[in-house]
Amino acid sequence: MIEENNAHTSSEQVLVRLREVILRGELLPGEKLHQDRLAETLGVSRTPLRTALTALTQSGLVIYEANRGYRVREFSFDEMLAAFRVRAELEALACKLAAPRISQADLEFLKELVALGDSLIAGGVLRAEALPQYRQMNVDFHTTILKASGNEWIQIFIEQLHNVPLASDRVIMWQDYDVIMRSHDDHRRIATVLAERDGMRAAGIMYEHIAYAADHLTNHLKQRPQDFMRVPSSNAPEPKRRDKTRRKVQS
């Protein structure tokens, strides 16, 4: 019985780790998932890895094809935008529901997360080495509000939306400091109005917070899709002609 529990825990741990690797963009859409290579990279055996891959297939983040194996699922540009729209609506609703019931401990935690973000971008830039910590801060901020909403369905549906990697809260456009500053200021304002129990205003800020991220990501991918993450669908935006010309000159 103990061995079964340990195996279950191991599989759950591998599932979480592999999912995070995909959502962070370390494994790109359409990329084949070689089990031997993955097991070595993650430092795990193939048994819990296969269990994790099966679970990720069921959740829609991974695709399995007979005789071809597993690969990261590809999402179209339109699917990414649709996920952002639904995520904005649901997280705004979470703010509205959380405002009258969020605990003082959660409010203090949000305040601490904002202070952590302040320290990470205090030098006028979000350095690459600080990105993992900033990303985790962002995830913790959004997750705290989702849980404080008291609505389990919101949490379940948001979890599904995060299976569209570009629309997940793991994605941080960290190279653009102005975008980081605006996004983090949204966090500060959301935390403040939640402490004031103003659910409607918190919802409005959260909706704009996520909608702005979608707009900025869209504009970025239109201009330089190679800079961020491959957009494999045929309906992905084309880069501007001058960018193509510049790349030819450089090559």
Side-chain angles (χ1 to χ4, degrees), residues 48-148:
L49 177 61
R50 281 195 296 268
T51 302
L53 286 170
T54 299
L56 290 175
T57 301
Q58 293 171 346
S59 71
L61 190 55
V62 167
I63 289 177
Y64 175 78
E65 297 174 319
N67 302 320
R68 298 185 65 181
Y70 295 94
R71 62 183 174 85
V72 180
R73 179 179 171 182
E74 298 173 280
F75 291 90
S76 72
F77 191 76
D78 286 344
E79 287 175 316
M80 179 199 74
L81 289 181
F84 261 116
R85 292 189 187 102
V86 177
R87 186 184 156 206
E89 294 283 358
L90 289 179
E91 293 210 36
L93 176 59
C95 281
K96 191 182 300 183
L97 296 177
R101 66 186 307 277
I102 190 169
S103 69
Q104 192 59 40
D106 281 344
L107 289 172
E108 287 298 322
F109 186 49
L110 291 179
K111 187 176 179 180
E112 291 172 8
L113 291 172
V114 170
L116 174 59
D118 288 342
S119 67
L120 293 174
I121 63 176
V125 65
L126 176 60
R127 300 187 182 281
E129 58 269 23
L131 179 58
Q133 194 174 8
Y134 188 91
R135 179 188 288 118
Q136 189 59 53
M137 178 277 296
N138 186 64
V139 171
D140 290 344
F141 187 91
H142 286 266
T143 300
T144 298
I145 296 173
L146 291 175
K147 290 182 178 179

Side-chain angles (χ1 to χ4, degrees), residues 31-248:
E31 186 168 344
K32 184 175 177 59
L33 300 174
H34 300 277
Q35 294 188 45
D36 289 338
R37 190 182 306 166
L38 269 179
E40 182 178 355
T41 300
L42 296 174
V44 299
S45 65
R46 290 192 59 175
T47 299
L49 177 61
R50 281 195 296 268
T51 302
L53 286 170
T54 299
L56 290 175
T57 301
Q58 293 171 346
S59 71
L61 190 55
V62 167
I63 289 177
Y64 175 78
E65 297 174 319
N67 302 320
R68 298 185 65 181
Y70 295 94
R71 62 183 174 85
V72 180
R73 179 179 171 182
E74 298 173 280
F75 291 90
S76 72
F77 191 76
D78 286 344
E79 287 175 316
M80 179 199 74
L81 289 181
F84 261 116
R85 292 189 187 102
V86 177
R87 186 184 156 206
E89 294 283 358
L90 289 179
E91 293 210 36
L93 176 59
C95 281
K96 191 182 300 183
L97 296 177
R101 66 186 307 277
I102 190 169
S103 69
Q104 192 59 40
D106 281 344
L107 289 172
E108 287 298 322
F109 186 49
L110 291 179
K111 187 176 179 180
E112 291 172 8
L113 291 172
V114 170
L116 174 59
D118 288 342
S119 67
L120 293 174
I121 63 176
V125 65
L126 176 60
R127 300 187 182 281
E129 58 269 23
L131 179 58
Q133 194 174 8
Y134 188 91
R135 179 188 288 118
Q136 189 59 53
M137 178 277 296
N138 186 64
V139 171
D140 290 344
F141 187 91
H142 286 266
T143 300
T144 298
I145 296 173
L146 291 175
K147 290 182 178 179
S149 75
N151 190 313
E152 186 178 353
W153 287 108
I154 294 179
Q155 299 175 56
I156 291 172
F157 292 139
I158 289 292
E159 186 79 6
Q160 281 297 107
L161 291 170
H162 286 169
N163 286 335
V164 183
L166 283 173
S168 81
D169 58 4
R170 276 72 171 171
V171 173
I172 304 293
M173 299 294 288
W174 64 280
Q175 299 96 332
D176 192 325
Y177 186 73
D178 289 339
V179 173
I180 287 291
M181 282 291 292
R182 168 170 173 157
S183 176
H184 189 56
D185 186 57
D186 288 343
H187 289 164
R188 187 189 325 281
R189 293 191 296 143
I190 290 168
T192 297
V193 295
L194 283 177
E196 296 170 354
R197 309 295 175 177
D198 190 341
M200 291 298 292
R201 191 173 175 205
I205 299 171
M206 179 63 83
Y207 185 93
E208 181 59 28
H209 174 70
I210 297 173
Y212 175 75
D215 290 343
H216 181 77
L217 179 58
T218 297
N219 291 333
H220 187 92
L221 289 174
K222 283 179 179 177
Q223 296 177 34
R224 300 189 62 81
Q226 77 282 2
D227 279 359
F228 196 64
M229 185 182 290
R230 183 159 58 91
V231 182
S233 170
S234 59
N235 71 350
E238 291 293 329
K240 292 182 178 179
R241 188 177 301 276
R242 64 174 179 271
D243 288 339
K244 289 182 179 179
T245 302
R246 186 180 298 118
R247 287 197 296 274
K248 287 180 180 178

